[in-house]
Amino acid sequence: MAFEKEIEKLNKKREELESSELIEKQHQKGKLTARERINLLLDPETFVELDPFIESRFQQLGMAEKRIPGDAVISGFGKISGRQVYLFSQDFSKMGGSLGEMHGQKITKMIELATKTGCPCIGIIDSGGARIQEGISSLDGYASIFRAMIRASGVIPQISVIVGPSAGGASYAPGLSDFVFMVEGISQMYITGPEVIRAVSGEKVSFEDLGGAAVHSQKSGCSHFIFKSEKDCFLGVKKLLSYLPQNNLADLPRQKGLLAEFFEGETMRLLEIVPEDEKKGYDMKEVIEEIFDKNSFFEIQSGFAANCLIGLARLSGYSVGLVANQTRFMAGTLDIDSSDKVARFVRFCDCFNIPLINLVDTSGYLPGKDQEHRGIIRHGAKVLYAYSEATVPKISLILRKAFGGAYIALCSRQLGLDKVIAWPSTQIAVMGPEQAVKIIYKKEIAESREPKEMEKEKIEELKSAFLSPYQAARLGQVDLIIHPKDTRNTLIKCLESLLNKRESKIARKHGNIPL
Ligand code: HXC
C-alpha cells in the first residue's frame, strides 16, 4: 500500500495528542477534557481539527521539556444542528491551558476564519491565563486575539464558555464576547487571583467568592448564562445559537412549524395576569408566556438586574429580542445595572438584525442619591443611545404605565420606535399624578384651607387629563390602542409589517456612546 509508513506515523502522532493520564487528571477535578467538550457541542463526526501539531518555540524556563503538540488548545470547525461554527477548546491538563505565542496564534486564526466566512465562533475556556514562561509573547498572543475579536464584533456572534479557571488575560476574551456561559462550581473568572490580591492589599478571598459563576451572574453582570453541569451548559449554547443568524448579513431565523401554532388567537389570560391597580406587581414572565410562541422565551442574565428582563423569544416562529420591565422587582424601574443590561442587549440585536419588542410597565429611571452618585445619567443615557441608534424593527407595547424617562427610552416614536401599541388603561405622563401635583400646584395646595381635599381634586384632574393613552394617540405618538386579548395577533402583524425595514445612517467614523 502506498504511503503506508507515513500514514502509520500520522496515526501514531494523532493518538499521542491525548494520553489517558491527562484525561484522568481532568476527570478527577470533576471536569471534562477539551476534546470531550467539543464532542458534546458539535454534531457527531463533523469536527475538523486544525493545527494539531503546532508547538511552542520557547526553550527556556523548562519549556523545552514541557512543550507539547497542539500547544494546549484544540481548534477547528464543525457543525451545530447542521450549521457551521468555528471553535477552540483550551486544554487545562497541558500547562494549565496557559496561553503562549502559538496557542494565541491558533485562536486568532480561528476567529479570523470565522469572521471571513461569517460563522459563529465559540471559545471553550479552561486556562491559567498568559503563559508566564513565554513572557511578552504571551501578552502579544492575547493582544492579537482581542483585536481579532473586536474586528469580529457585530459581524459574527461570539460566545465564551467558561469551564474552569479563566484567569488574567483569559478573562478579557469573555469580556469581549457577546455571551458568556458559566458552570456552577467549576467556572472561575478573574483578572488577578486570590494570591495576588492578598499580596497587594492583604484581602483574603476564595476563588469562588472572587469570580465564581454566582458572582458573575448576580453581581458583576459579566456572565449571561449559568448552568449546573457542563452537559447542560453545552445544550444551552446550542439553544442560544438556534435564535441567532449566522452573521450580520444572514437572514433572521424563523423556526419551522405548523402555521396554526403561530397564531393561537386571543390572549384573554392577560386580563387575569396583569392587575388593574398599577401599584400592584405581577410576573412579567407570565405575560411573555402568554404572548410569545409557547416556551420560546430564553432569558439572558436572569440573575442580574432582575427589574428588567431581557432575552430571545419567538413570535410566529421569528426570533425577536425582548426587553420587559419586571414589576415584581423595584417596580420594574430602570437603574444603573438594568440600563447597562438593556443597552448592550439592544446593540447586540441591532448588530444581527433581530427585531426588538418592548413590554413596558414602569414609572421610569430609579430615583435616589446612590443612583445619581454612581452615574445613572451616564448609564441611563446608554439606553437612549442604543435604541435611537438601532435600525432594526422596534415595537413597544405599553401595558399599564410609561412615565418620564421610561417613556422616552422604551416607547417614544420620536426616539425612533416604529410601532407603539397601548392597552386602553395605559397611563403615559411626565411623572405620576401624586408627584406632579406637589410640583405644579405646590402654592395653591399650601394656600388652600383644605389642602388634603385640594390635592385629591388636583390628582383626579391630572388623571383625567393625562392618564390615558388618548392624548398620545391624538398626537400620533401611540399608533394603536388595543384590547389586551388582541395583543399577540397585533404584535405578529406589526412585526411582519416591519421585517423588511431599511434605515440608512449618517456617514461618520462612529458615534460616541456614553460608556
Ligand atoms: C504557565 C501555568 C499558568 C500560567 C497554570 N500553569 N497557570 N503555567 N503560566 N499562567 C500551570 C501550573 O504551573 C501547573 O503546571 C499547571 O498549569 C496546573 O496548574 P496548578 O496550579 O497545579 O492547578 P490548580 O491548582 O488547579 O490551579 C489553577 C490556577 C493556578 C488557579 C489557574 O494555576 C493559577 O493561579 N495560575 C495563575 C493564574 C494567573 O494569575 N494568571 C494570570 C497570568 S497574567 P505543572 O507543570 O505543575 O502541571 C495574565 C496577563 C494579564 O494573564 C493580562 C491582564 C488582563
Side-chain angles (χ1 to χ4, degrees):
M1 200 185 10
F3 311 121
E4 197 170 351
K5 268 195 177 157
E6 274 67 26
I7 292 169
E8 209 176 289
K9 194 171 155 193
L10 173 66
N11 287 340
K12 198 162 172 280
K13 273 182 176 290
R14 280 196 174 145
E15 274 167 30
E16 283 166 8
L17 288 176
E18 191 155 352
S19 75
S20 57
E21 177 207 339
L22 299 176
I23 293 175
E24 206 34 55
K25 211 168 144 189
Q26 188 77 345
H27 286 172
Q28 277 164 6
K29 291 187 168 172
K31 303 197 297 185
L32 298 172
T33 66
R35 221 168 272 280
E36 285 169 339
R37 287 165 176 160
I38 291 176
N39 291 339
L40 256 185
L41 185 60
L42 296 184
D43 297 347
E45 309 292 322
T46 61
F47 181 56
V48 177
E49 185 174 353
L50 298 175
D51 297 329
F53 304 120
I54 253 182
E55 271 186 27
S56 168
R57 297 192 293 178
F58 283 75
Q59 304 277 340
Q60 70 272 40
L61 302 170
M63 279 298 291
E65 300 80 53
K66 280 194 170 177
R67 58 190 188 156
I68 24 95
D71 207 27
V73 61
I74 302 170
S75 66
F77 55 89
K79 289 189 175 166
I80 294 180
S81 308
R83 284 167 50 172
Q84 196 73 55
V85 297
Y86 280 81
L87 80 171
F88 65 87
S89 180
Q90 292 179 308
D91 188 347
F92 188 83
S93 67
K94 292 164 186 161
M95 291 185 281
S98 59
L99 187 138
E101 178 197 35
M102 301 312 271
H103 183 131
Q105 192 175 298
K106 263 176 94 165
I107 295 178
T108 304
K109 187 179 187 179
M110 217 44 44
I111 301 164
E112 287 175 350
L113 280 169
T115 313
K116 270 191 250 181
T117 55
C119 298
C121 189
I122 302 161
I124 303 175
I125 296 169
D126 190 357
S127 169
R131 187 173 298 152
I132 296 159
Q133 296 91 327
E134 295 195 22
I136 190 175
S137 297
S138 308
L139 301 180
D140 281 336
Y142 272 122
S144 75
I145 291 172
F146 299 159
R147 185 153 193 258
M149 288 187 77
I150 292 159
R151 286 164 71 89
S153 175
V155 180
I156 50 167
Q158 299 185 74
I159 296 169
S160 286
V161 186
I162 300 170
V163 274
S166 178
S171 62
Y172 277 112
L176 290 166
S177 297
D178 295 307
F179 296 106
V180 177
F181 286 71
M182 293 183 87
V183 178
E184 282 175 18
I186 63 168
S187 311
Q188 287 141 10
M189 174 164 63
Y190 45 84
I191 54 166
T192 45
E195 287 301 330
V196 177
I197 293 177
R198 194 144 71 134
V200 172
S201 66
E203 189 187 1
K204 282 187 198 164
V205 62
S206 68
F207 282 107
E208 202 56 30
D209 284 347
L210 181 64
V215 168
H216 286 302
S217 60
Q218 290 162 22
K219 290 189 180 170
S220 74
C222 290
S223 147
H224 299 81
F225 300 99
I226 174 169
F227 290 92
K228 290 206 179 309
S229 69
E230 291 198 46
K231 202 170 163 224
D232 289 345
C233 181
F234 289 111
L235 284 175
V237 174
K238 291 185 200 194
K239 184 171 175 182
L240 173 69
L241 281 174
S242 75
Y243 292 86
L244 308 183
Q246 282 290 86
N247 57 58
N248 63 331
L249 301 175
D251 286 340
L252 182 70
R254 187 181 193 198
Q255 201 183 50
K256 292 185 184 75
L258 295 173
L259 262 189
E261 279 177 30
F262 295 166
F263 294 91
E264 283 180 58
E266 299 184 341
T267 41
M268 279 309 276
R269 224 176 73 76
L270 290 177
L271 293 165
E272 290 164 30
I273 300 168
V274 184
E276 203 173 331
D277 178 356
E278 95 273 352
K279 291 198 174 64
K280 280 194 184 148
Y282 56 94
D283 189 356
M284 187 59 100
K285 286 185 196 170
E286 282 189 56
V287 171
I288 293 170
E289 269 311 303
E290 195 60 16
I291 298 175
F292 294 86
D293 297 356
K294 289 282 160 276
N295 301 318
S296 73
F297 181 50
F298 190 33
E299 192 179 355
I300 298 168
Q301 287 186 303
S302 62
F304 181 69
N307 39 325
C308 245
L309 300 172
I310 58 166
L312 293 153
R314 293 194 172 90
L315 188 62
S316 190
Y318 293 108
S319 291
V320 291
L322 203 58
V323 174
N325 302 114
Q326 176 57 291
T327 58
R328 291 173 99 191
F329 300 102
M330 296 155 64
T333 47
L334 280 170
D335 65 340
I336 287 173
D337 284 346
S338 61
S339 294
D340 285 359
K341 175 174 163 177
V342 169
R344 182 145 169 86
F345 179 63
V346 166
R347 284 167 70 82
F348 172 80
C349 290
D350 190 43
C351 290
F352 294 102
N353 304 307
I354 300 171
L356 284 160
I357 298 183
N358 299 333
L359 302 182
V360 183
D361 189 352
T362 182
S363 51
Y365 284 102
L366 180 69
K369 189 171 117 183
D370 173 64
Q371 290 285 308
E372 298 283 353
H373 286 192
R374 285 171 49 218
I376 182 77
I377 295 171
R378 179 164 51 88
H379 293 276
K382 294 175 197 179
V383 182
L384 303 173
Y385 198 108
Y387 273 108
S388 180
E389 190 185 43
T391 57
V392 281
K394 294 174 284 191
I395 304 171
S396 270
L397 171 79
I398 314 172
L399 290 91
R400 292 192 308 186
K401 60 177 186 282
F403 290 161
Y407 165 76
I408 301 173
L410 300 174
C411 31
S412 164
R413 289 193 52 91
Q414 298 307 313
L415 199 83
L417 265 291
D418 297 299
K419 296 267 184 336
V420 180
I421 307 162
W423 285 1
S425 56
T426 294
Q427 305 179 354
I428 302 173
V430 174
M431 61 176 73
E434 289 83 3
Q435 293 78 36
V437 290
K438 289 190 172 65
I439 299 169
I440 57 174
Y441 298 115
K442 189 168 137 187
K443 263 194 215 145
E444 287 90 331
I445 292 171
E447 287 162 8
S448 161
R449 280 205 215 144
E450 293 186 43
K452 283 264 173 283
E453 279 306 303
M454 184 164 195
E455 193 174 325
K456 259 193 200 162
E457 219 173 85
K458 293 292 177 194
I459 288 174
E460 287 312 310
E461 204 178 293
L462 268 188
K463 274 187 179 169
S464 64
F466 292 114
L467 294 189
S468 82
Y470 294 101
Q471 194 213 10
R474 274 195 296 275
L475 297 169
Q477 304 305 327
V478 162
D479 301 283
L480 289 160
I481 301 175
I482 60 163
H483 189 302
K485 75 177 168 57
D486 298 325
T487 303
R488 175 175 162 82
N489 288 339
T490 308
L491 281 174
I492 290 173
K493 285 179 187 142
C494 288
L495 175 67
E496 288 186 333
S497 78
L498 290 167
L499 284 173
N500 291 321
K501 180 186 169 193
R502 292 285 178 271
E503 200 176 289
S504 53
K505 291 185 174 181
I506 297 171
R508 60 179 169 182
K509 195 171 173 190
H510 60 74
N512 188 13
I513 186 166
L515 296 172

